[in-house]
Amino acid sequence: MSIITRTWRVAALGFALATVAGGALAADYTLSVNTALAQQDPLYKGLEEFKKNVEVRSGGKMAVRLFPGSQLGKDEDVLEQARAGAGVAVVVDGGRLAVFVKEFGVLGGPYLAQGYDGIRKVVTSPMFDQWSDKLRKASGHQVLSFNWWQGERHLLTNKPVKGPEDLAGIRMRTPGAPVWMETIRAMGATPTPMGWSEVYTGLQQKVIDGVEAQHPASFGARLYEVTNRVTKTGHINLITGLVTSAAWFDKLPPEQQTILKEEALKAGDSASRATQASLADFEKQMKEKGVTIEEIDVTPFRKATAPVYEKLGYAELHKDVEKLLQN
């Protein structure tokens, strides 16, 4: 992207944010947070908590504006705006950050850790802090916290799935990051990158045959209307982070920087625990909508996806993460 194009995009975004934010202009600093999540998602509730606590604790000097449903654009576009120094942040997975620092990609690896407590141990470790420092230098992004757990991802289809052989020929929507693509390919399906906002119509129009997602997102997107079966593979433990511009962050007074990081960590924990507590209810509601929730033996999928780490050059890092999880 040329400097002129990037400058134009930042200027255009700045005008849009100023127009939408309105009252935020009274604050000394404004952070606009973009997320693909719907407002009923437990993680979005966490973002609301983050907003409230930052604004109260900063005494009104800091304003946070939330934009659900990717109102500010795709994650990649907002990450680009952050690189250019805009006061924006995005809830994003490690796969999308791996284009800048490869280590982040391992977070989306198959069967990496169990549940929130497992993956949290990784993203609050000194090892992860080193990745975050590399990210600042490589791309100009600042991680506020990376403990926003969205749940384990499962398969949504209109046919029964017991093992990898049942996914042959199935066009499965997944994000376009290499580790996600290779995981779905290893599971037996044909990975098909597609924006989340396009998934419902993609299934409806049979552009894709299935999707892999966590319960809060699939229910929020009403995918129970276009699929009738959830197979609980739990193949990816989806952990995401709140990532902003390092250049913008560095201009803040130290006390405001501390507030943002501490409140992001607190709200991430709160949102993740709420996600944990919500999963059974989401399953109950999906069953009431006519969806079959199927528990299966995931061993064949574990075996099929094990080579993904070596294929993508994560074999040694995977071992390091496993050691961390065992301590």
Side-chain angles (χ1 to χ4, degrees), residues 312-323:
L312 294 179
Y314 286 123
E316 290 305 313
L317 183 57
H318 186 212
K319 291 177 183 177
D320 291 339
V321 171
E322 287 185 318
K323 288 179 184 176

Side-chain angles (χ1 to χ4, degrees), residues 5 19 42 101 133 184 195 197 210 216 234 244 252 268 280 293 295 297 306 311:
T5 301
T19 301
V101 173
D133 289 341
I184 297 308
S197 62
T244 188
L252 299 176
I293 309 288
E295 303 267 2
D297 177 7
K311 185 172 184 178

